[in-house]
Amino acid sequence: MAAAASLGAANTAVLKEVKIEIGSFDGLRSWNPVGLSRRRVNFYPVSSSTSRPNSLIKAVSTPVKPATETKRSKVEIIKEHSNFIRYPLNEELLTDAPNINESAIQLIKFHGSYQQYNREERGGRSYSFMLRTKNPCGKVPNKLYLTMDDLADQFGIGTLRLTTRQTFQLHGVLKKNLKTVMSSIVDSMGSTLGACGDLNRNVLAPAAPFARKDYQFAQQTADNIAALLTPQSGFYYDMWVDGEKIMSAEPPEVVKARNDNSHGTNFPDSPEPIYGTQFLPRKFKIAVTVPTDNSVDLLTNDIGVVVVTDADGEPQGFNLYVGGGMGRTHRLETTFPRLAEPLGYVPKEDILYAVKAIVVTQRENGRRDDRKYSRMKYLISSWGIEKFRSVVEQYYGRKFEPSRELPEWEFKSYLGWHEQGDGGLFCGLHVDSGRIGGKMKATLREIIEKYNLDVRLTPNQNIILCGIRKAWKHPITTALAQAGLLQPKYVDPLNLTAMACPAFPLCPLAITEAERGIPDILKRVRAVFEKVGLKYNESVVIRATGCPNGCARPYMAELGFVGDGPNSYQIWLGGTPNQTSLARTFMNKLKIHDLEKVLEPLFYYWKRKRRSKESFGDFTNRVGFEMLQEWVDKWDGVVATRPTYNLRLFADKDTYEKMDELAKLQNKTAHQLAMEVIRNYAATQQNEKGE
């Protein structure tokens, strides 16, 4: 694949020749329930005869780590003394205080929650908690959706939020209600276990419910990987449902892979055979997909898994990619976003063992002294892919095969109506910034409840209604349109691919606006498009975050806004529509009121100097940042022309002026408002006619 071949070069360019020294880590200590003396687990090489059957390539020995002590961060100490993520959280939850202490704040993340407070309130702090569910592949059963909808009203702030990792976030839960909310989620076939914290997060997969072998195999693989890396020590169930484990039976291949210790991957005496007392150095992200479908932003994950099929579409194995990650720190060049790069190919029966080997390599060697450098991308950047592959192969017990050739990637949104392939339909709905509230929330609940639909959440903060009978299409379409959930052809193309993180007022890391700021940014970009002569159906991928951690993946956007001060953003350019290129910093500290001064020249010259069908991201990469900066510096503005399109659109000047007055109240142009009204009217008419 051409995109994969360029990943190493792209990552090298971002590093700017910075060399990072990753300190060694002496491995995790085995479990000792008394906590008095501690001993190391010794990993001994295992002969090839004890490795998995059908191993065609000679096994390699498990690495033996030197017994040296290194500095550890405060969070590592908290984890070690927590009795597997219980203490002191269990005691803090019993107090009358509205908040919990610092140690408990770190531990509750493993349970799927963050403590927050409203940063816009003056005086005392009003503490609450954000809960995040864990939904592999974005699958949400009917009962769980209805429960989440109820919980948002009863215990939250009245809205649900869809995340960029196919999960729900529920904001505003008070400490006294945490157990009620958590137990309700568990009782409704859901979970928040491991949605946050230093362990594997939600496993992504294409959300589309296609009845195709490759899609179903990818989704089943994502489910199995999620099960493999789910904590086993029971802390979650002890805390929220009094120890009652509500779990379906695991596939035997998952249990076998988790328990296998042929190559020294496990802690044999520990209730956490893979994670031990310390879990992972930082969060860990995995995505599974099929060739061409990059709806999951594959290369931004610690591990990317791609199904490889034969000529008949039968799954044969997987290509693996490693080392992606978005988080960074402003003006600290030793932190950076990074694309995953190819590791190799494994046969389908080995995928769980290969994933486990990668996780263990990070567990044993990822930095635990400085959390800024604890993601696996820094380990790979320090070691290089060849050394990393060699160590993983020792835990895997065999060599990786060369990666298989794949076609080019495409971004797939799955918006609108589609055939599932089993006689049913699914409908993908765009949700601005993933925020479900008001009439939209009420209508979605009514439809999902009435037709007993399951739903799926997408990595682009949208929602899919699944299993719809063809006879239901017309009434569902009409109800959705009346609630503002329009077919994609009636939604501004800029909005369809835009994403933003929640940021203010609840996120403690936010520097500026994202979710609340992106609607205005998109309107202003649309106005610039009109001013420089770009067509309505043209678009760029825009993503905004309130801080550099990159939760909405702005470093893959064609135009990324990364908060770096009050009402100020760092501008990133150079991502591509199919999310295979890493953007780069173009400008620091652009004040939001100066947005047009930068965007007008960029889009003006894109309109006039691009090649045929050249995307904005490809254009900025080809032209180069030096030329782009020169255009911005010398910009005198677009030559003013008479807005004749408005006079053509409106029946007379008086109507135009009245529309213009109304539009200004909504921070829009008269043309924008008129087109919005016309599109909505046309959508309603079409829906009423059953089209």
Side-chain angles (χ1 to χ4, degrees), residues 140-146 444-455 465-469 472 476:
V140 181
N142 177 270
K143 182 179 180 182
L144 178 59
Y145 184 90
L146 299 178
L444 279 174
R445 190 213 167 81
E446 179 183 337
I447 292 171
I448 291 167
E449 189 169 32
K450 178 179 179 179
Y451 297 100
N452 193 32
L453 303 179
D454 293 335
V455 307
L465 307 182
C466 306
I468 301 172
R469 296 180 186 175
W472 300 343
I476 287 177

Side-chain angles (χ1 to χ4, degrees), residues 294 297 300 326 337 339 411 460 494 497-500 518 521-522 539-545 550-562 570-586 602-603 615-621 625 628:
N294 199 21
D297 257 356
T300 66
M326 293 286 96
L339 297 183
F411 169 72
N460 223 50
L494 290 171
T497 55
M499 290 201 297
I518 199 169
I521 289 174
L522 294 174
S539 185
V540 297
V541 177
I542 300 174
R543 296 175 177 177
T545 58
C551 292
R553 304 191 288 273
Y555 309 118
M556 303 298 287
E558 293 182 276
L559 174 58
F561 293 85
V562 180
Q570 200 176 58
I571 303 300
W572 286 64
L573 302 176
T576 49
N578 66 354
Q579 279 95 66
T580 58
S581 295
L582 198 62
R584 293 176 291 140
T585 311
F586 175 65
L602 295 180
F603 291 139
S615 70
F616 179 67
D618 285 331
F619 170 76
T620 58
N621 288 329
F625 282 15
L628 296 176

Side-chain angles (χ1 to χ4, degrees), residues 400-419:
F400 289 105
E401 298 177 39
S403 296
R404 303 302 195 250
E405 286 293 320
L406 296 177
E408 289 295 324
W409 294 105
E410 301 172 17
F411 169 72
K412 299 180 185 291
S413 70
Y414 302 114
L415 296 176
W417 288 93
H418 302 267
E419 297 272 356

